[in-house]
Amino acid sequence: MLLTLIRHGEACAPTAALGDRGRALTIYGREEARATGLALASRGLRPTAIWTSPLVRAVQTAELVGAALAYDRVIEARGDLFPSSEVESLCAALRGEPADASVIAVGHQPLMSTIAGHLLGIYVGGFATASAYHIALDRGAAAGGGALRWRWVGAFID
């Protein structure tokens, strides 16, 4: 099984009306997300599922990445991809996927670096906006049960 973890692109500051949940991507964040999607497409990534946090900035990132990958299925908003979600919740969901699945999960910090570190068995100190970790998982997806295939930390440069 393959898992690609992506942190959402750069987002606007929270507003009084919408708060953190309603933060949208900035123009730069949209370009970051598009660039990430194109980078994943250039590596031949063909996801069988795209999962995202239900927060606006993550949904927008997932949609832009999916468009760059010509993904034609439903993008699933999930409650286990919030910034404070438990790692084990996502790991349990991954164990329910077929062995040949290729899942993209779009979320937030600190969850993205925590999941990457848990699966790789190493400390992951940061996770830049719109960056991606592509991990091959053993069926159990236990701590340290993954191998980093590649990492995308590029960004759109104007």
Side-chain angles (χ1 to χ4, degrees):
M1 166 183 285
L2 298 172
L3 172 65
T4 306
L5 298 171
I6 300 174
R7 182 180 175 198
H8 64 79
E10 180 186 84
C12 300
T15 65
L18 298 176
D20 184 60
R21 295 183 71 88
R23 290 175 56 203
L25 294 179
T26 63
I27 292 170
Y28 179 78
R30 289 176 182 275
E31 293 303 327
E32 282 183 311
R34 279 189 201 99
T36 298
L38 291 172
L40 301 183
S42 75
R43 293 176 184 262
L45 188 66
R46 298 289 172 250
T48 56
I50 297 179
W51 299 346
T52 184
S53 157
L55 300 183
V56 172
R57 58 197 181 271
V59 171
Q60 290 174 326
T61 299
E63 290 172 341
L64 290 164
V65 167
L69 293 168
Y71 181 77
D72 61 358
R73 299 178 185 174
V74 172
I75 295 173
E76 181 183 350
R78 300 176 54 94
D80 52 8
L81 288 167
F82 283 107
S84 61
S85 292
E86 294 294 323
V87 171
E88 185 48 41
S89 179
L90 183 68
C91 289
L94 290 168
R95 285 191 290 274
E97 291 296 303
D100 62 347
S102 177
V103 176
I104 291 176
V106 180
H108 312 269
Q109 273 298 81
L111 182 63
M112 292 292 100
S113 59
T114 302
I115 292 170
H118 176 80
L119 294 174
L120 297 172
I122 61 171
Y123 174 74
V124 176
F127 211 106
T129 56
S131 62
Y133 280 66
H134 187 65
I135 302 168
L137 297 176
D138 290 339
R139 235 5 238 152
L148 183 64
R149 290 269 182 96
W150 44 260
R151 184 171 66 132
W152 163 258
V153 191
F156 177 82
I157 299 173
D158 193 11

